[in-house]
Amino acid sequence: MILGIDLGGTEIKLGWLSREGRILERASASVSFDGYRTPPPVTLLKEARIFLKSLSGPLEGIAVSACGQIDPDEGVVIGTNGKIPGYEGTPLKALLEEAFSVPVQALNDANAAVLGEHFAGRAQGVRDVVMITLGTGVGGGVITEGRLLRGRRGIAGELGHFSLRADGAPCPCGKRGCFESYASVTALVRSCGEASGRTGLNGRIIFEEIAQGNEIFRSVLSRWILEIAEGLSGLVHLFNPELILIGGGVSRQEELLISPLREATLARCMPRFREGLRLESAALGNDAGLLGALRFWLDQEEGPDALHR
C-alpha cells in the first residue's frame, strides 16, 4: 500500500492507496490553521504519523503531490513566490524518507492532477492533453505523446504564468498580464465585486446568482470565459492536444461554464488545430492529485523508461 499526500496551501489530504488506484481510507487537516506559525513540513509529518497509526497493512512508499515548484528528481520545493512561509526549500523526499524509511516521490500538484486524470480519469488512453485548474490561481499540466511534459528542472507546465497582455495587471510572480490574473476564479470574484459594488463574494455565490438571473454577474462571467478561451487557444496552438481538461470546483458548471468555454475556445483555434479537439471538465475532483502522485511513484519504481507511459 502507498500513502498518498496532497499538500496544498491551506489543506493537506491523505489517502491509503492501492497500486490499482483505489483510495481505501482518507483524511484531511488544515495546513494554515495558525497562520503558518507552525511550518507546513511540521504539520505534514504530524498528520502523516496520525493517519498511518489508524491503518493496517505494510507501507511500501509515499507519493506526494505538493503546491509550488517541485524538483521531482530531488523532491525539493524550489519555488513558491513566497506565498507560504516556512515552505520553500523543504526537502519533501528526504524528510519523509528519513521519518518513515520507505521510498518517496514528490511532484507539483497541477502536474499530479493531469497525471491522475491520465491514469484513472477522463484522459485515460489520450496521448496529448492540456489541463488547467481554475481556482485561487491557475495551475496546469501537459501530457504529450503519453508522457508528462517535465522540462529541464521538472517544473514545466506553469500554464498560469504566460502573459496575455504585456502591460496587463501585475502578478505575484513578478510579471504583468499573466493568464492567471485574468482566468483565475479570484479574477472572476474581483470583477464581479467591481461591477456590483459587493463584497464577500466567492465562486459558489456568483454561479448561484447567475442561475437565478443576476445579469450583472452573467455579463462578467461572459467576459471571463472569453479571457480563458484566449489563453486556451494559445495553448492549443502550442501543444496541439486532443483533449483540454478544466479542473477546479467551478468545472462542475457544465451549462454556465464548460459549454460556452468549449464554444469560445474552438472558435479561436485555427481549423486544423480544432479538428477532433475536445474540451471537458476533469473527472476526479480532489482525488486527482493523490492518484497522479501514485502514478508518478509507480512510474519511478518501474524505471525512467516507463515514466508516464
Side-chain angles (χ1 to χ4, degrees), residues 247-298:
V250 295
S251 67
R252 294 190 292 269
Q253 299 289 340
E254 176 65 34
E255 181 179 350
L256 292 175
L257 174 61
I258 300 300
S259 181
L261 179 59
R262 180 184 300 117
E263 181 179 352
T265 301
L266 292 176
R268 284 161 173 75
C269 296
M270 289 188 283
R272 295 305 182 197
F273 283 85
R274 65 173 175 258
E275 287 180 353
L277 176 62
R278 297 180 287 133
L279 185 151
E280 300 178 14
S281 59
L284 297 178
N286 289 333
D287 292 341
L290 289 173
L291 294 176
L294 170 65
R295 179 69 263 172
F296 186 71
W297 190 95
L298 293 171

Side-chain angles (χ1 to χ4, degrees), residues 127-148:
R127 292 186 59 78
D128 294 279
V129 185
V130 169
M131 180 174 176
I132 64 167
T133 54
L134 304 175
T136 304
V138 173
V142 179
I143 300 284
T144 181
E145 296 186 350
R147 293 172 176 259
L148 178 69

Side-chain angles (χ1 to χ4, degrees), residues 2-24:
I2 311 300
L3 171 62
I5 297 174
D6 190 353
L7 179 62
T10 59
E11 185 181 43
I12 180 173
K13 294 184 284 289
L14 303 109
W16 192 230
L17 311 176
S18 74
R19 286 173 170 263
E20 296 73 35
R22 290 180 295 128
I23 303 177
L24 303 179

Side-chain angles (χ1 to χ4, degrees), residues 5-9 63-81 83-84 87 90 92-93 105-117 131-133 137-143 148-151 153-161 180 287-297 300 308:
I5 297 174
D6 190 353
L7 179 62
V64 183
S65 159
C67 61
Q69 295 158 19
I70 312 297
D71 181 329
D73 295 321
E74 301 296 329
V76 176
V77 182
I78 60 174
T80 64
N81 298 323
K83 291 182 178 179
I84 306 174
Y87 181 53
T90 300
L92 294 168
K93 177 179 171 68
Q105 301 295 339
L107 78 165
N108 165 265
D109 53 1
N111 282 340
V114 73
L115 265 185
E117 292 287 340
M131 180 174 176
I132 64 167
T133 54
V138 173
V142 179
I143 300 284
L148 178 69
L149 180 66
R150 292 173 47 135
R153 290 293 303 275
I155 56 175
E158 280 282 3
L159 302 186
H161 294 286
E180 177 174 295
D287 292 341
L290 289 173
L291 294 176
L294 170 65
R295 179 69 263 172
F296 186 71
W297 190 95
Q300 296 288 340
H308 326 308

